Amino acid sequence: ISPFMPLKESLQWYIMAFMVEDSLEARFTNITSADQVEVGGVPYVAEIMNRVDRSTEKYIFDELGGRNAALADEIHKLMFTFEDIVNLDSMAIQRFIREVDTKDLAVALKSANEEVKRVIFQNMSSRMRENIEQDIQFLHNIRMRDVEEAQQKIVGVIRQLEEAGEIVIAKGEEEEILA
C-alpha cells in the first residue's frame, strides 16, 4: 500500500488482499504445514476502521459483509462507534462530555438514536441539557456529513481519553470492567 494512496482506496485494497489471502489459504491448507505468523490481522483492520469516516466505514462493511459476514462481525466487535457510547459507564460519559465542544455535541446528537441521547443527557447538568436541546432545535438544514463528522470528533476524544488511561472502553461482550 502506497503512503500516497487515498485512505479509502488503501482500505479497499487491504480488504481485497485480505479476501484473496483467505481464498489462497483455503486452497493451500492441505499443502502447507510451515509455522505461520500473523501480521496485522483483524485487530489491525479494526484499528484502521476506527479512524475512517462513517461513509467509508459503511461502504467497506457493506462490501465485506456480502463476502464474509463472520469477518465483518469480528472486525466490528473490536471497534468503538458513536452508538457504543451507551455501553460506557457514567463516569466515562461525564468525562468525555467535559472534553467535547458543545456545538459538536449538539450536531452529533441531531440524528442520534434515542438511547444515545438519553444516556448522554442523563450524564450532564440540567442546564447543559437544556442548552444542547435548544441548540438541536435550532439546527436546520444540516448535512449528514456534518453530523457524522461531529460524531467522529466525539469518538476521537473518547479514544484519546482511553489511550491516556482516563476512561476504559470494554471491547466485546465478554470483557468485564471492575470499578
Side-chain angles (χ1 to χ4, degrees):
I1 300 176
S2 166
F4 302 107
M5 188 181 297
L7 184 59
K8 188 172 184 177
E9 288 179 31
S10 298
L11 285 170
Q12 290 170 345
W13 183 88
Y14 185 80
I15 296 293
M16 291 303 197
F18 201 70
M19 287 185 238
V20 169
E21 178 185 354
D22 282 350
S23 174
L24 290 173
E25 182 179 335
R27 289 184 183 181
F28 295 109
T29 301
N30 299 335
I31 299 172
T32 63
S33 63
D35 292 337
Q36 296 179 354
V37 176
E38 184 175 315
V39 177
V42 174
Y44 180 71
V45 174
E47 185 62 31
I48 291 172
M49 294 295 289
N50 272 328
R51 300 183 191 289
V52 300
D53 63 271
R54 298 282 295 247
S55 62
T56 302
E57 175 185 323
K58 183 180 179 339
Y59 172 78
I60 290 172
F61 273 116
D62 287 348
E63 291 294 315
L64 183 58
R67 290 181 167 86
N68 190 337
L71 178 60
D73 288 342
E74 191 176 347
I75 293 168
H76 202 267
K77 285 178 185 174
L78 295 176
M79 293 178 59
F80 183 85
T81 63
F82 186 75
E83 291 76 18
D84 292 328
I85 287 173
V86 299
N87 300 322
L88 295 175
D89 65 30
S90 293
M91 290 178 64
I93 294 170
Q94 292 164 18
R95 179 67 184 96
F96 88 74
I97 287 173
R98 288 194 303 268
E99 294 295 320
V100 299
D101 184 324
T102 56
K103 287 181 173 65
D104 286 335
L105 195 53
V107 172
L109 291 174
K110 179 72 175 176
S111 72
N113 67 50
E114 291 304 314
E115 187 178 10
V116 172
K117 287 179 184 177
R118 180 187 55 78
V119 167
I120 290 176
F121 284 146
Q122 73 187 56
N123 281 287
M124 62 176 61
S125 69
S126 58
R127 182 176 179 195
M128 184 178 196
R129 181 178 61 245
E130 289 170 6
N131 288 339
I132 290 178
E133 285 174 335
Q134 196 171 40
D135 288 346
I136 291 170
Q137 282 183 327
F138 291 115
L139 284 173
H140 296 291
N141 299 327
I142 189 151
R143 296 178 300 202
M144 191 61 185
R145 179 178 64 203
D146 295 332
V147 171
E148 291 172 350
E149 185 178 303
Q151 290 176 348
Q152 286 297 98
K153 284 181 185 177
I154 292 169
V155 168
V157 168
I158 292 169
R159 287 192 195 118
Q160 287 173 349
L161 291 170
E162 181 190 33
E163 288 174 14
E166 295 187 40
I167 65 172
V168 176
I169 299 173
K171 303 258 190 334
E173 298 160 3
E174 67 283 340
E175 190 166 355
E176 185 176 341
I177 305 298
L178 301 175

